[in-house]
Amino acid sequence: MLKAAVMVAAHIQPCSLIWIITMAACAKTPDVHVTCIFSMDCILPCHFKPAEGEVIHWYRKKALVHSFYNGSDVLEQQDEHYRGRTFLFQGQFAQGNASLLLQRSGIEDKGRYRCHVRTALGDQESYTIAKVEAPIRTMQMTSPSGYEEVTCSSQDIYPAPQLFWSTDPPAPPGAIKPTTRKMADTLGLYSVESMQKRLGNLSDFTYICTLNSYYGTQTWSASLRERAIFSVSGKGLTIPCLVPMKFHNFTLTWTLTRASKTEVILTYDSLTRQISNRWKNKARLDPNLVLTGNGSLWLQNLEQSAQTETYTCAFSAFQIQQLVQNHVSFIAAIKGGNQSNLWIIAVVIAALALCTAGVILYAKQRGDHSQLSRTTEDATEIQHMMNEGGNNTQANNQAL
């Protein structure tokens, strides 16, 4: 009987030990994941059961990040990389908060951190995995004059983002073949630039560039549509700008690019519904139409330019931008007197041609070949005389 009890106890003890170890493993605190924004302050969390005599050490791998004991910070052995950038919230130790404030976080700060706290209750540990991200803050989309490419770019991003191209309507399979470059600066921040050749004619496609952050926390997009417009100098002109979606909290900006120099014409803010117009006597838009996605610009008294001018309409909202570039070429206006004379000459010539055709048709019906020949000769002579009269009229107008 006693022997049986001893054997049962022998089996119970190993099982109890296994159960205790298993429970301890299950009670391990999981890693906390934190994303620090580049150049900004970041808090790495650490919580413990409060008790007296706190001794706190923070490590990243083998590097000592911060130490606290005997009631004060002890930083003589602190790793040089963290010198002057770490702080503990000493006033919150009584609530069990040993979180670390890391100032001006940089790319080299990423990694797995260990927080070790010793109190009267014993040792406690927790781990934090810190990622560092420099988010997308700007995005540019351009189509430089004289080039056959559309360019999409952004700067100061970490980690390197992903960039994609698409078109509306969808381009044929295999037609989109961009050239994309990603380059890191001395701080480790990336610049990305991608160029896509135009497909077909100028206004056949809308080009769409999408930029995704590495961690999937951001998606930015920009689109560009182009068209050619011909205008008579000195006249009014309405330049259309329609966007396919309704924006909220957006700005509309009209710019003019001439001889590689860009100037702002006007801006509109949907929040304040205010227009800042630098061309007050030459340009205007309808604020009510803008709210529906129609940002068309009305211009008057346009001056003739020997070069093509580019008027760009930009709708900008949170992480999205839509551009419409209008390449305007000017045609010289014809003076009134010359224009009237030319119209008279054109009408006379047209009438003469109709008369000649009628005579020829009549002669064919009569079957009178000789009459047809003479009529044709007469008509040809008359037309030649009228042409000479028209040329003389043009010459006289020019002389005047």
Side-chain angles (χ1 to χ4, degrees):
M1 191 72 175
L2 181 59
K3 185 177 180 180
V6 171
M7 292 179 64
V8 171
H11 284 284
I12 290 175
Q13 289 176 359
C15 291
S16 299
L17 182 60
I18 294 173
W19 179 81
I20 292 172
I21 295 174
T22 303
M23 287 300 294
C26 293
K28 182 181 177 181
T29 304
D31 292 354
V32 177
H33 291 260
V34 172
T35 299
C36 300
I37 303 302
F38 180 85
S39 79
M40 304 294 289
D41 295 350
C42 187
I43 295 178
L44 308 182
C46 178
H47 299 280
F48 63 97
K49 293 181 180 180
E52 295 181 353
E54 302 96 342
V55 176
I56 303 173
H57 297 291
W58 273 92
Y59 300 91
R60 185 173 72 92
K61 297 181 179 179
K62 295 182 179 180
L64 178 61
V65 178
H66 198 100
S67 289
F68 176 92
Y69 55 86
N70 293 334
S72 63
D73 293 321
V74 181
L75 304 177
E76 286 78 5
Q77 302 299 318
Q78 184 184 41
D79 188 275
E80 184 68 26
H81 177 70
Y82 296 97
R83 193 63 57 88
R85 297 197 299 127
T86 59
F87 297 90
L88 295 176
F89 303 94
Q90 298 182 22
Q92 298 184 23
F93 288 170
Q95 289 77 44
N97 184 4
S99 299
L100 179 74
L101 173 64
L102 180 60
Q103 293 186 322
R104 304 183 303 277
S105 56
I107 294 174
E108 294 181 355
D109 292 328
K110 64 181 180 179
R112 191 169 187 251
Y113 289 79
R114 176 166 63 95
C115 173
H116 183 96
V117 180
R118 177 178 295 175
T119 66
L121 298 177
D123 293 344
Q124 302 173 57
E125 279 191 351
S126 63
Y127 291 86
T128 299
I129 296 178
K131 298 186 294 186
V132 177
E133 181 177 19
I136 305 168
R137 299 187 186 277
T138 61
M139 185 176 182
Q140 300 84 34
M141 197 167 184
T142 59
S143 178
S145 177
Y147 293 88
E148 294 301 320
E149 296 89 10
V150 179
T151 302
C152 179
S153 62
S154 188
Q155 303 82 32
D156 301 331
I157 307 171
Y158 183 85
Q162 297 175 313
L163 190 147
F164 305 94
W165 284 93
S166 58
T167 61
D168 182 25
I176 299 179
K177 298 178 180 179
T179 301
T180 303
R181 302 186 188 93
K182 299 178 184 180
M183 298 171 288
D185 61 15
T186 55
L187 297 177
L189 302 180
Y190 283 89
S191 296
V192 57
E193 182 180 58
S194 185
M195 292 177 288
Q196 168 62 43
K197 287 187 177 180
R198 288 197 189 100
L199 307 175
N201 296 320
L202 182 67
S203 59
D204 286 351
F205 295 94
T206 297
Y207 298 88
I208 304 167
C209 177
T210 302
L211 199 60
N212 292 333
S213 64
Y214 181 84
Y215 296 125
T217 56
Q218 292 181 295
T219 297
W220 286 59
S221 67
S223 67
L224 174 65
R225 185 170 184 83
E226 298 180 86
R227 65 166 65 93
I229 298 177
F230 296 92
S231 176
V232 177
S233 61
K235 302 293 184 179
L237 174 65
T238 299
I239 304 179
C241 179
L242 304 175
V243 293
M245 65 175 64
K246 189 175 181 179
F247 287 99
H248 298 282
N249 302 334
F250 67 88
T251 59
L252 167 64
T253 304
W254 273 98
T255 59
L256 167 63
T257 301
R258 176 193 296 158
S260 301
K261 294 182 179 180
T262 300
E263 63 175 302
V264 176
I265 299 174
L266 60 78
T267 58
Y268 172 82
D269 189 327
S270 68
L271 286 177
T272 62
R273 299 197 178 184
Q274 296 295 316
I275 298 175
S276 176
N277 191 347
R278 300 184 183 182
W279 286 19
K280 291 183 179 180
N281 299 324
K282 295 176 58 178
R284 64 178 175 85
L285 56 78
D286 188 332
N288 296 322
L289 291 179
V290 175
L291 294 175
T292 66
N294 183 353
S296 299
L297 182 70
W298 184 82
L299 299 171
Q300 61 180 351
N301 299 326
L302 291 177
E303 298 177 358
Q304 182 175 353
S305 173
Q307 296 179 337
T308 298
E309 299 179 343
T310 300
Y311 291 83
T312 302
C313 163
F315 275 90
S316 302
F318 180 65
Q319 297 185 0
I320 187 170
Q321 185 180 62
Q322 293 196 357
L323 305 175
V324 179
Q325 286 189 343
N326 304 275
H327 304 287
V328 179
S329 300
F330 291 91
I331 303 173
I334 301 175
K335 293 184 180 181
N338 291 342
Q339 187 176 16
S340 300
N341 291 336
L342 290 176
W343 274 107
I344 293 173
I345 294 171
V347 169
V348 171
I349 293 176
L352 178 62
L354 289 175
C355 292
T356 302
V359 171
I360 293 175
L361 180 62
Y362 177 77
K364 284 185 177 181
Q365 292 176 348
R366 294 283 307 269
D368 191 349
H369 296 290
S370 60
Q371 182 66 26
L372 174 62
S373 177
R374 288 192 299 272
T375 302
T376 303
E377 291 175 356
D378 294 339
T380 302
E381 183 177 0
I382 294 173
Q383 184 173 3
H384 179 69
M385 293 171 62
M386 292 299 298
N387 286 339
E388 290 183 346
N391 292 334
N392 292 333
T393 302
Q394 287 183 340
N396 293 332
N397 288 334
Q398 291 176 356
L400 294 175

